[in-house]
Amino acid sequence: MKNALRTRLAAGLAISFVMLAGLQWLLAGIAIERLLKAQLAQRLERDAENLLAALDGEAGAPLKLDDARVGGEYRQPFSGHYFRIVIDGGDDISSRSLWDGTLALPFAGSERIAQSEAAGPQGQSLWLLSAHYEKRGQSVRILVAEDLSALRAGLREWHLLYGLLTLAVVALVLAVQQWVVRRSLAPLDTLRAQMQALERGERERLDVALPDEIAPLVDQFNTLLGMLLRRSQRSRDALGNLAHALKTRLAVLLQVAESPAMAAHPELQQRMTDSTELMRRAIERELRRARLMGGTHPARRSDLRDAAERLAGTLAILHGERSPDIALDIAADITLAMDAEDLMELLGNLMDNACAWCRSRVRLSVERGGDLKLVIEDDGPGCAPEQLESLSARGFRADETKPGHGLGLSIVRDLVDSYGGALEFGPSPVLGGLRVTVHLPSRMALDAPSPEGVRP
């Protein structure tokens, strides 16, 4: 997932640790190199002091170097160990290892001991130590040098081994880090699964057994969910009470309008009858709209085939004069994440409309693909192509001679819209009449869960 929290966290930690490990490897290499050069300088300084001790001679005579006290490494040509002794007013002595070469005198500063890197014979890179001494009243300057190739080879080997060890540690730490990140973010995966189960209708609330950083948010969500459900229920109860009260008053008005006393005033009687009928329609329409807007609990699940079978039995009685054959092509294990009343309203309007227009056959089927399709078709006369777009318009009636108010398909459209679906009209290629297709999100359809799979 792009910009996923787990990916960003893991990448940030990995980059930080790799940079830290690289910096540590670099600083450790610099420290090791300084330590080795410090040890080399100490060894060169001891050699310079040994060479100073090997300088001897008669009192008042020039200092001479006692070759017997010079180490063998300074006798082997190009051994990588070299010296040069410059005596003020006396000899300039170089080691046999220099062969015909010499060590260039560095700039004479005020320091008694100075160190620097210098070029040696045969392209060797040398670490040079220059020391100033006083012996028997004579100024002595001793240069001692050693080839750096062995030290650098050792450093390269150390860098390689330490780099491999660092990479192994980095790989191990990154693996542990990934495990820790996954384990730390596992509650978010659990929460996502619970949200999906809530959407499918398998749960009624979210668990709060989560880390302290997430639990307050989930608890607030559960509180909000319960509050919305209570508000919706109170709204429906209040509207039911209002409908009952208004319908009672409307019945009284209708009785008055049909009373013998009003028969003497036919115009007034007709106006009262029309007004009460309009009021009744308005009340029923607004009650349906309020129920749709009030929403339902997301955990509600409805058995699609059971609802269709009950409606088929009822419609067969209501339309007994034409005895419609209602065929149901619905799997027995499909449930919908939809309120039972909404499902009955949806199927009831569509199936009733199909039964009212059919000759003898009505078919309800379900197709599952990219989305969920509820298909209701009949073998009636169908609908003119230019009227298809107007079928779901409120108050539209394709045939004014048939009873009805033109509200059924409008209610279906509102229901389908509230669940994020779409309504499609067209000719039925199978039965020849009208085909109504309800497109619903595929996530609303799921197999019926086992009792132990439903958690409160």
Side-chain angles (χ1 to χ4, degrees), residues 156-250:
R156 284 194 297 270
E157 183 179 358
W158 180 89
H159 275 293
L160 177 61
L161 293 177
Y162 191 74
L164 292 176
L165 177 62
T166 300
L167 288 177
V169 172
V170 167
L172 178 61
V173 170
L174 290 180
V176 174
Q177 169 203 294
Q178 288 292 328
W179 178 81
V180 171
V181 169
R182 284 196 299 269
R183 185 176 180 85
S184 300
L185 297 181
L188 294 182
D189 295 332
T190 302
L191 183 59
R192 180 176 60 181
Q194 291 182 10
M195 293 288 289
Q196 292 172 345
L198 182 68
E199 182 181 19
R200 294 193 302 267
E202 297 175 359
R203 310 179 62 90
E204 292 188 356
R205 58 185 291 112
L206 302 177
D207 290 340
V208 293
L210 296 167
D212 293 340
E213 294 81 3
I214 306 174
L217 177 63
V218 175
D219 187 60
Q220 189 66 29
F221 179 84
N222 285 332
T223 302
L224 180 60
L225 191 65
M227 181 179 65
L228 291 176
L229 181 61
R230 289 191 298 271
R231 286 182 179 178
S232 175
Q233 189 60 46
R234 286 197 300 267
S235 175
R236 292 190 179 193
D237 293 343
L239 287 173
N241 296 335
L242 178 61
H244 177 73
L246 290 177
K247 285 184 177 181
T248 302
R249 300 300 184 271
L250 284 175

XYZ file of all heavy atoms in Angstrom, residues 156-250:
761
model
N 42.716 -2.213 5.285
C 41.740 -2.664 4.293
C 41.093 -3.971 4.716
O 39.875 -4.163 4.574
C 42.416 -2.818 2.925
C 42.695 -1.509 2.215
C 43.039 -1.744 0.755
N 44.264 -2.522 0.617
C 45.493 -1.999 0.544
N 45.647 -0.683 0.612
N 46.551 -2.765 0.411
N 41.904 -4.885 5.224
C 41.350 -6.162 5.691
C 40.396 -5.947 6.859
O 39.328 -6.562 6.930
C 42.495 -7.088 6.102
C 42.018 -8.466 6.534
C 43.172 -9.376 6.903
O 44.342 -8.937 6.784
O 42.907 -10.517 7.319
N 40.788 -5.034 7.761
C 39.910 -4.748 8.908
C 38.595 -4.127 8.430
O 37.519 -4.511 8.898
C 40.613 -3.799 9.878
C 39.761 -3.460 11.066
C 39.689 -4.119 12.238
C 38.833 -2.365 11.174
N 38.779 -3.532 13.084
C 38.239 -2.447 12.455
C 38.455 -1.337 10.329
C 37.290 -1.538 12.891
C 37.506 -0.434 10.763
C 36.932 -0.532 12.035
N 38.701 -3.170 7.479
C 37.478 -2.544 6.957
C 36.567 -3.574 6.302
O 35.337 -3.518 6.462
C 37.846 -1.454 5.942
C 38.154 -0.127 6.571
N 37.215 0.632 7.216
C 39.320 0.583 6.642
C 37.762 1.754 7.656
N 39.047 1.745 7.332
N 37.147 -4.500 5.554
C 36.348 -5.519 4.889
C 35.642 -6.416 5.908
O 34.419 -6.622 5.823
C 37.244 -6.355 3.975
C 36.553 -7.520 3.252
C 35.449 -7.005 2.341
C 37.578 -8.340 2.470
N 36.409 -6.927 6.869
C 35.815 -7.819 7.865
C 34.783 -7.087 8.721
O 33.693 -7.610 8.984
C 36.919 -8.419 8.756
C 37.892 -9.373 8.050
C 38.978 -9.837 9.018
C 37.154 -10.570 7.485
N 35.142 -5.869 9.144
C 34.214 -5.120 9.982
C 32.977 -4.702 9.183
O 31.858 -4.668 9.706
C 34.909 -3.887 10.557
C 34.110 -3.196 11.645
C 34.004 -3.761 12.904
C 33.453 -1.998 11.388
C 33.271 -3.143 13.897
C 32.719 -1.366 12.383
C 32.635 -1.947 13.633
O 31.890 -1.330 14.615
N 33.184 -4.390 7.867
C 32.044 -4.052 7.024
C 31.096 -5.232 6.859
O 29.878 -5.069 6.931
N 31.657 -6.435 6.651
C 30.818 -7.630 6.538
C 30.067 -7.887 7.837
O 28.878 -8.234 7.823
C 31.680 -8.839 6.169
C 32.295 -8.810 4.763
C 33.204 -10.010 4.558
C 31.201 -8.788 3.705
N 30.764 -7.719 8.961
C 30.103 -7.893 10.254
C 28.992 -6.859 10.440
O 27.886 -7.181 10.910
C 31.132 -7.778 11.386
C 30.576 -7.872 12.817
C 29.924 -9.229 13.034
C 31.677 -7.627 13.834
N 29.254 -5.618 10.014
C 28.247 -4.566 10.133
C 27.034 -4.878 9.271
O 25.884 -4.702 9.702
C 28.845 -3.208 9.722
O 29.959 -2.904 10.572
C 27.817 -2.105 9.833
N 27.285 -5.368 8.045
C 26.168 -5.726 7.177
C 25.335 -6.853 7.778
O 24.100 -6.832 7.706
C 26.695 -6.146 5.800
C 27.243 -5.023 4.909
C 27.801 -5.600 3.609
C 26.161 -3.998 4.597
N 26.016 -7.842 8.370
C 25.281 -8.938 8.996
C 24.431 -8.431 10.155
O 23.267 -8.823 10.318
C 26.257 -10.011 9.473
N 25.034 -7.544 10.965
C 24.282 -6.983 12.091
C 23.114 -6.137 11.590
O 22.005 -6.200 12.132
C 25.221 -6.148 12.991
C 24.426 -5.403 14.047
C 26.252 -7.047 13.659
N 23.354 -5.340 10.521
C 22.283 -4.513 9.957
C 21.140 -5.390 9.461
O 19.956 -5.105 9.710
C 22.828 -3.624 8.819
C 21.689 -3.006 8.020
C 23.709 -2.526 9.386
N 21.489 -6.480 8.738
C 20.450 -7.379 8.236
C 19.661 -7.999 9.379
O 18.426 -8.087 9.328
C 21.081 -8.468 7.372
N 20.366 -8.408 10.434
C 19.685 -9.005 11.585
C 18.784 -7.985 12.273
O 17.622 -8.285 12.599
C 20.718 -9.547 12.568
C 20.163 -10.165 13.865
C 19.276 -11.360 13.538
C 21.298 -10.569 14.801
N 19.303 -6.791 12.469
C 18.519 -5.755 13.150
C 17.300 -5.362 12.307
O 16.201 -5.149 12.839
C 19.392 -4.525 13.468
C 18.544 -3.359 13.953
C 20.437 -4.882 14.512
N 17.489 -5.262 10.978
C 16.359 -4.921 10.118
C 15.284 -6.004 10.156
O 14.085 -5.701 10.137
C 16.830 -4.707 8.681
C 17.670 -3.451 8.416
C 18.063 -3.368 6.953
C 16.925 -2.195 8.834
N 15.724 -7.269 10.201
C 14.742 -8.356 10.302
C 13.980 -8.274 11.623
O 12.746 -8.421 11.657
C 15.450 -9.702 10.173
N 14.730 -8.039 12.714
C 14.068 -7.887 14.014
C 13.152 -6.671 14.009
O 12.032 -6.703 14.543
C 15.128 -7.767 15.137
C 14.471 -7.453 16.468
C 15.925 -9.063 15.242
N 13.615 -5.589 13.359
C 12.802 -4.373 13.293
C 11.503 -4.625 12.545
O 10.431 -4.171 12.953
C 13.599 -3.279 12.597
C 12.789 -2.049 12.228
C 13.420 -1.287 11.099
O 14.490 -0.751 11.261
N 12.771 -1.258 9.943
N 11.587 -5.366 11.422
C 10.378 -5.682 10.676
C 9.401 -6.485 11.533
O 8.192 -6.246 11.513
C 10.736 -6.478 9.411
C 11.419 -5.655 8.331
C 10.483 -4.632 7.715
O 9.281 -4.857 7.616
N 11.027 -3.497 7.304
N 9.947 -7.432 12.274
C 9.095 -8.241 13.147
C 8.435 -7.368 14.209
O 7.250 -7.506 14.503
C 9.929 -9.344 13.793
C 9.154 -10.202 14.744
C 8.325 -11.241 14.440
C 9.134 -10.077 16.176
N 7.787 -11.780 15.574
C 8.261 -11.090 16.673
C 9.749 -9.235 17.072
C 8.014 -11.249 18.023
C 9.504 -9.400 18.431
C 8.644 -10.402 18.888
N 9.233 -6.459 14.803
C 8.696 -5.578 15.847
C 7.631 -4.648 15.268
O 6.582 -4.421 15.879
C 9.844 -4.766 16.500
C 9.281 -3.692 17.421
C 10.775 -5.680 17.276
N 7.904 -4.103 14.059
C 6.931 -3.195 13.434
C 5.632 -3.932 13.143
O 4.535 -3.431 13.427
C 7.521 -2.577 12.149
C 6.441 -1.853 11.350
C 8.633 -1.600 12.502
N 5.760 -5.140 12.562
C 4.539 -5.908 12.275
C 3.785 -6.248 13.548
O 2.554 -6.152 13.595
C 4.906 -7.193 11.523
C 5.254 -6.989 10.068
C 5.213 -8.304 9.314
N 6.180 -9.243 9.853
C 7.421 -9.379 9.435
N 7.862 -8.615 8.442
N 8.225 -10.268 9.968
N 4.515 -6.629 14.576
C 3.857 -6.983 15.832
C 3.222 -5.752 16.473
O 2.122 -5.835 17.036
C 4.880 -7.609 16.780
C 4.267 -8.138 18.076
C 5.331 -8.822 18.927
N 4.766 -9.321 20.166
C 4.160 -10.479 20.312
N 4.026 -11.280 19.264
N 3.684 -10.863 21.474
N 3.908 -4.603 16.380
C 3.378 -3.389 16.996
C 2.142 -2.875 16.266
O 1.238 -2.307 16.887
C 4.459 -2.294 17.011
O 5.587 -2.716 17.748
N 2.120 -3.069 14.929
C 0.995 -2.576 14.146
C -0.076 -3.636 13.915
O -1.066 -3.368 13.217
C 1.486 -2.050 12.791
C 2.428 -0.846 12.843
C 2.809 -0.416 11.446
C 1.796 0.314 13.600
N 0.127 -4.830 14.475
C -0.884 -5.875 14.322
C -2.264 -5.443 14.815
O -3.274 -5.810 14.202
C -0.429 -7.149 15.048
N -2.367 -4.661 15.916
C -3.700 -4.201 16.325
C -4.422 -3.399 15.257
O -5.654 -3.437 15.178
C -3.404 -3.332 17.562
C -2.145 -3.897 18.129
C -1.347 -4.313 16.928
N -3.677 -2.685 14.397
C -4.325 -1.945 13.314
C -4.919 -2.904 12.288
O -6.002 -2.653 11.733
C -3.320 -1.003 12.641
C -2.793 0.145 13.500
C -1.852 1.010 12.686
C -3.938 0.983 14.051
N -4.207 -4.019 12.017
C -4.774 -5.030 11.122
C -6.030 -5.637 11.733
O -7.022 -5.887 11.038
C -3.738 -6.121 10.843
C -2.543 -5.593 10.070
O -2.724 -4.619 9.314
O -1.442 -6.144 10.222
N -5.971 -5.879 13.042
C -7.151 -6.412 13.728
C -8.319 -5.429 13.639
O -9.464 -5.809 13.380
C -6.820 -6.697 15.200
O -5.734 -7.618 15.266
C -8.020 -7.273 15.933
N -8.004 -4.151 13.838
C -9.047 -3.130 13.771
C -9.638 -3.043 12.371
O -10.850 -2.905 12.202
C -8.458 -1.776 14.183
C -9.427 -0.600 14.238
C -10.554 -0.868 15.220
C -8.687 0.684 14.618
N -8.783 -3.132 11.346
C -9.288 -3.095 9.971
C -10.199 -4.285 9.700
O -11.257 -4.138 9.064
C -8.112 -3.098 8.995
C -8.544 -3.063 7.535
C -7.367 -2.968 6.601
N -6.478 -4.097 6.741
C -5.355 -4.252 6.050
N -4.994 -3.329 5.191
N -4.594 -5.308 6.240
N -9.787 -5.467 10.175
C -10.626 -6.658 9.987
C -11.968 -6.496 10.703
O -13.021 -6.894 10.182
C -9.895 -7.894 10.499
N -11.948 -5.883 11.889
C -13.198 -5.653 12.616
C -14.084 -4.650 11.875
O -15.316 -4.813 11.837
C -12.897 -5.149 14.025
C -12.264 -6.185 14.929
C -12.021 -5.658 16.322
O -12.484 -4.577 16.679
N -11.294 -6.414 17.132
N -13.468 -3.619 11.289
C -14.252 -2.652 10.523
C -14.904 -3.315 9.309
O -16.059 -3.038 8.975
C -13.347 -1.501 10.062
C -12.811 -0.641 11.185
S -14.072 0.420 11.930
C -14.320 1.609 10.623
N -14.152 -4.194 8.641
C -14.724 -4.902 7.503
C -15.851 -5.821 7.948
O -16.873 -5.936 7.266
C -13.624 -5.698 6.792
C -12.587 -4.815 6.100
C -11.412 -5.606 5.565
O -11.216 -6.763 5.926
N -10.620 -4.986 4.712
N -15.646 -6.500 9.106
C -16.705 -7.356 9.632
C -17.931 -6.527 10.022
O -19.075 -6.959 9.844
C -16.187 -8.139 10.840
N -17.702 -5.326 10.547
C -18.812 -4.434 10.891
C -19.580 -4.031 9.641
O -20.811 -3.998 9.628
C -18.258 -3.195 11.603
C -19.270 -2.162 12.091
C -20.107 -2.736 13.222
C -18.569 -0.892 12.541
N -18.846 -3.761 8.565
C -19.499 -3.375 7.311
C -20.297 -4.538 6.731
O -21.376 -4.335 6.164
C -18.431 -2.930 6.305
C -18.992 -2.457 4.989
C -17.905 -2.051 4.017
O -16.747 -2.462 4.221
O -18.214 -1.343 3.056
N -19.767 -5.758 6.883
C -20.468 -6.928 6.356
C -21.627 -7.361 7.239
O -22.396 -8.240 6.864
C -19.493 -8.096 6.196
C -18.420 -7.892 5.155
C -17.722 -9.195 4.859
N -17.129 -9.777 6.048
C -15.870 -9.591 6.443
N -15.085 -8.817 5.718
N -15.402 -10.152 7.526
N -21.732 -6.787 8.423
C -22.819 -7.145 9.316
C -22.496 -8.286 10.248
O -23.406 -8.884 10.835
N -21.215 -8.630 10.420
C -20.839 -9.725 11.296
C -20.574 -9.265 12.728
O -20.362 -10.097 13.603
C -19.581 -10.414 10.751
C -19.801 -11.041 9.387
C -18.528 -11.621 8.801
O -17.477 -11.515 9.467
O -18.586 -12.184 7.692
N -20.535 -7.969 12.947
C -20.306 -7.413 14.282
C -21.261 -6.249 14.502
O -21.807 -5.700 13.550
C -18.870 -6.894 14.454
C -17.770 -7.810 14.058
C -16.432 -7.127 14.270
N -16.227 -6.793 15.665
C -15.642 -7.603 16.544
N -15.207 -8.771 16.165
N -15.476 -7.242 17.798
N -21.419 -5.878 15.761
C -22.235 -4.712 16.090
C -21.409 -3.582 16.699
O -21.887 -2.471 16.824
C -23.361 -5.103 17.050
C -24.403 -6.017 16.421
C -25.592 -6.235 17.334
O -25.554 -5.734 18.478
O -26.542 -6.902 16.906
N -20.175 -3.871 17.099
C -19.290 -2.863 17.662
C -17.854 -3.338 17.523
O -17.601 -4.489 17.155
C -19.627 -2.564 19.125
C -19.573 -3.758 20.033
C -20.036 -3.447 21.445
N -19.095 -2.584 22.138
C -19.344 -1.332 22.481
N -20.513 -0.782 22.163
N -18.460 -0.609 23.117
N -16.923 -2.455 17.792
C -15.502 -2.771 17.709
C -14.959 -3.100 19.087
O -15.408 -2.546 20.093
C -14.727 -1.589 17.117
C -15.152 -1.119 15.723
C -14.343 0.103 15.319
C -14.959 -2.236 14.702
N -13.974 -3.997 19.126
C -13.329 -4.313 20.394
C -12.459 -3.149 20.836
O -11.900 -2.418 20.016
C -12.460 -5.566 20.255
C -13.294 -6.820 20.077
O -14.479 -6.776 20.440
O -12.754 -7.822 19.579
N -12.311 -3.000 22.146
C -11.460 -1.932 22.692
C -10.221 -2.508 23.346
O -9.470 -1.794 23.999
C -12.235 -1.067 23.710
C -13.320 -0.284 23.025
C -12.833 -1.925 24.819
N -9.973 -3.819 23.183
C -8.762 -4.443 23.729
C -7.604 -4.141 22.780
O -7.069 -5.015 22.108
C -8.963 -5.948 23.888
N -7.239 -2.872 22.709
C -6.233 -2.382 21.784
C -5.227 -1.526 22.555
O -5.448 -1.201 23.721
C -6.894 -1.553 20.678
C -7.859 -2.321 19.754
C -8.681 -1.345 18.923
C -7.084 -3.262 18.849
N -4.092 -1.170 21.931
C -3.129 -0.292 22.617
C -3.761 1.017 23.068
O -4.769 1.480 22.512
C -2.060 -0.053 21.535
C -2.151 -1.240 20.645
C -3.609 -1.619 20.622
N -3.136 1.621 24.055
C -3.680 2.848 24.647
C -3.802 3.976 23.626
O -4.630 4.869 23.787
C -2.782 3.305 25.804
C -2.827 2.320 26.968
O -3.794 1.538 27.024
O -1.897 2.326 27.791
N -2.949 3.956 22.571
C -3.013 5.020 21.578
C -4.244 4.888 20.678
O -4.683 5.874 20.082
C -1.751 5.011 20.698
C -0.465 5.363 21.424
C 0.126 4.199 22.197
O -0.453 3.086 22.122
O 1.133 4.392 22.882
N -4.786 3.669 20.541
C -5.895 3.430 19.624
C -7.212 3.258 20.364
O -8.272 3.629 19.856
C -5.606 2.181 18.763
C -4.256 2.336 18.062
C -6.695 1.942 17.745
C -3.828 1.108 17.311
N -7.147 2.698 21.570
C -8.372 2.367 22.307
C -9.319 3.558 22.478
O -10.531 3.406 22.285
C -8.012 1.762 23.661
N -8.835 4.773 22.836
C -9.787 5.899 22.973
C -10.534 6.210 21.679
O -11.717 6.533 21.710
C -8.878 7.070 23.392
C -7.688 6.426 24.009
C -7.475 5.169 23.239
N -9.836 6.100 20.539
C -10.488 6.373 19.258
C -11.574 5.339 18.978
O -12.685 5.686 18.549
C -9.448 6.362 18.136
C -9.959 6.563 16.709
C -10.602 7.932 16.560
C -8.823 6.400 15.699
N -11.264 4.072 19.222
C -12.243 3.009 18.985
C -13.421 3.153 19.947
O -14.585 2.974 19.559
C -11.571 1.633 19.137
C -12.599 0.513 19.022
C -10.487 1.462 18.077
N -13.125 3.477 21.197
C -14.197 3.660 22.173
C -15.109 4.811 21.762
O -16.336 4.721 21.869
C -13.582 3.922 23.553
C -14.645 3.955 24.635
O -15.346 2.953 24.822
O -14.778 5.011 25.294
N -14.521 5.895 21.266
C -15.322 7.027 20.799
C -16.162 6.646 19.586
O -17.322 7.063 19.445
C -14.395 8.202 20.446
C -15.115 9.507 20.156
C -15.814 10.064 21.388
O -15.372 9.841 22.510
N -16.907 10.779 21.181
N -15.588 5.822 18.699
C -16.332 5.362 17.532
C -17.529 4.513 17.967
O -18.631 4.664 17.425
C -15.407 4.547 16.631
C -16.078 4.010 15.397
C -16.216 4.787 14.257
C -16.585 2.722 15.377
C -16.839 4.292 13.129
C -17.211 2.222 14.255
C -17.338 3.011 13.125
N -17.313 3.615 18.926
C -18.418 2.798 19.419
C -19.506 3.657 20.056
O -20.703 3.412 19.883
C -17.904 1.776 20.429
C -17.153 0.632 19.764
O -17.420 0.306 18.617
N -16.221 0.038 20.484
N -19.062 4.675 20.801
C -20.032 5.581 21.422
C -20.852 6.309 20.366
O -22.082 6.431 20.474
C -19.296 6.591 22.314
O -18.545 5.885 23.320
C -20.273 7.532 22.990
N -20.167 6.811 19.325
C -20.856 7.517 18.246
C -21.810 6.577 17.507
O -22.938 6.964 17.162
C -19.834 8.097 17.273
C -20.377 8.878 16.068
C -21.193 10.075 16.523
C -19.242 9.323 15.163
N -21.381 5.336 17.274
C -22.226 4.369 16.595
C -23.503 4.101 17.384
O -24.604 4.083 16.836
C -21.440 3.070 16.389
C -22.065 2.022 15.479
C -22.166 2.534 14.054
C -21.228 0.746 15.520
N -23.334 3.907 18.691
C -24.510 3.681 19.532
C -25.425 4.893 19.584
O -26.662 4.747 19.578
N -24.831 6.083 19.637
C -25.639 7.303 19.684
C -26.454 7.474 18.403
O -27.648 7.809 18.446
C -24.724 8.507 19.889
C -25.455 9.838 19.976
S -24.324 11.212 20.239
C -23.383 11.180 18.717
N -25.821 7.218 17.251
C -26.544 7.333 15.987
C -27.668 6.302 15.901
O -28.751 6.596 15.380
C -25.576 7.150 14.818
C -24.548 8.264 14.602
C -23.599 7.901 13.468
C -25.231 9.584 14.301
N -27.397 5.104 16.396
C -28.439 4.084 16.372
C -29.622 4.483 17.250
O -30.785 4.319 16.864
C -27.852 2.747 16.846
C -28.808 1.558 16.854
C -29.330 1.280 15.454
C -28.121 0.322 17.424
N -29.317 5.015 18.437
C -30.403 5.444 19.333
C -31.190 6.601 18.726
O -32.426 6.650 18.827
C -29.825 5.836 20.697
C -29.318 4.643 21.509
C -29.012 5.056 22.938
N -27.954 6.054 23.006
C -26.656 5.738 23.085
N -26.282 4.473 23.083
N -25.738 6.680 23.153
N -30.485 7.540 18.111
C -31.186 8.659 17.468
C -32.078 8.162 16.342
O -33.229 8.619 16.185
C -30.172 9.657 16.921
C -29.496 10.499 17.976
C -28.556 11.489 17.320
N -27.895 12.336 18.309
C -26.981 13.261 18.002
N -26.643 13.435 16.731
N -26.422 13.985 18.942
N -31.559 7.230 15.537
C -32.356 6.691 14.447
C -33.591 5.978 14.976
O -34.694 6.137 14.430
C -31.491 5.732 13.614
O -32.264 5.105 12.625
N -33.411 5.209 16.054
C -34.548 4.485 16.608
C -35.583 5.444 17.182
O -36.797 5.258 16.995
C -34.054 3.522 17.694
C -35.117 2.555 18.194
C -35.651 1.679 17.079
O -34.885 1.135 16.291
N -36.967 1.564 16.990
N -35.094 6.482 17.892
C -36.041 7.468 18.442
C -36.783 8.180 17.328
O -37.989 8.458 17.440
C -35.291 8.488 19.312
C -34.843 7.949 20.662
C -34.491 9.082 21.616
N -33.425 9.913 21.097
C -32.144 9.723 21.373
N -31.771 8.701 22.144
N -31.209 10.522 20.874
N -36.067 8.491 16.244
C -36.704 9.172 15.116
C -37.795 8.296 14.503
O -38.897 8.758 14.210
C -35.650 9.529 14.062
O -36.252 10.091 12.929
N -37.489 7.012 14.339
C -38.482 6.113 13.759
C -39.679 5.945 14.694
O -40.826 5.915 14.249
C -37.844 4.758 13.477
C -36.812 4.809 12.358
C -36.395 3.436 11.941
N -35.428 3.494 10.859
C -35.072 2.442 10.131
N -35.620 1.270 10.374
N -34.188 2.555 9.175
N -39.398 5.819 15.987
C -40.508 5.682 16.933
C -41.397 6.920 16.914
O -42.636 6.817 16.922
C -39.962 5.445 18.346
C -39.272 4.095 18.472
O -39.493 3.227 17.600
O -38.504 3.907 19.435
N -40.734 8.098 16.905
C -41.518 9.340 16.901
C -42.343 9.470 15.619
O -43.511 9.868 15.651
C -40.578 10.548 17.048
N -41.736 9.114 14.491
C -42.477 9.191 13.237
C -43.621 8.178 13.209
O -44.698 8.450 12.653
C -41.529 8.948 12.063
C -40.554 10.092 11.745
C -39.567 9.655 10.694
C -41.320 11.323 11.285
N -43.396 6.994 13.789
C -44.476 6.015 13.860
C -45.638 6.520 14.688
O -46.813 6.364 14.312
N -45.299 7.128 15.826
C -46.366 7.692 16.666
C -47.108 8.808 15.945
O -48.346 8.912 16.016
C -45.776 8.214 17.973
C -45.176 7.099 18.811
O -45.575 5.935 18.678
N -44.220 7.434 19.665
N -46.333 9.654 15.257
C -46.955 10.755 14.515
C -47.845 10.225 13.391
O -48.964 10.724 13.169
C -45.861 11.662 13.931
C -46.339 12.839 13.079
C -47.210 13.782 13.908
C -45.146 13.571 12.480
N -47.351 9.183 12.701
C -48.152 8.617 11.613
C -49.458 8.045 12.148
O -50.522 8.234 11.552
C -47.344 7.529 10.900
N -49.374 7.344 13.276
C -50.579 6.764 13.856
C -51.593 7.861 14.225
O -52.793 7.749 13.928
C -50.223 5.941 15.083
C -51.421 5.358 15.786
N -52.137 4.303 15.267
C -52.037 5.711 16.954
C -53.139 4.014 16.087
N -53.098 4.850 17.121
N -51.079 8.930 14.856
C -51.973 10.022 15.262
C -52.596 10.712 14.049
O -53.808 10.975 14.000
C -51.209 11.030 16.113
N -51.763 10.978 13.024
C -52.281 11.676 11.851
C -53.242 10.806 11.051
O -54.265 11.294 10.536
C -51.120 12.139 10.972
C -50.262 13.273 11.540
C -49.106 13.577 10.603
C -51.104 14.526 11.764
N -52.916 9.530 10.943
C -53.811 8.647 10.184
C -55.169 8.504 10.870
O -56.203 8.383 10.207
C -53.145 7.272 10.018
C -52.034 7.262 8.977
C -51.471 5.876 8.785
C -50.414 5.880 7.690
N -49.853 4.530 7.468
N -55.137 8.513 12.217
C -56.411 8.474 12.930
C -57.247 9.705 12.618
O -58.454 9.620 12.344
C -56.157 8.372 14.442
O -55.383 7.203 14.698
C -57.465 8.296 15.204
N -56.590 10.867 12.626
C -57.321 12.107 12.316
C -57.789 12.122 10.859
O -58.894 12.602 10.540
C -56.426 13.325 12.579
C -55.935 13.443 14.014
C -57.094 13.571 15.008
N -56.635 13.778 16.354
C -56.351 12.803 17.211
N -56.495 11.543 16.836
N -55.941 13.079 18.438
N -56.965 11.587 9.966
C -57.355 11.536 8.571
C -58.559 10.616 8.368
O -59.446 10.890 7.540
C -56.179 11.043 7.709
C -55.069 12.060 7.439
C -53.919 11.403 6.694
C -55.604 13.229 6.624
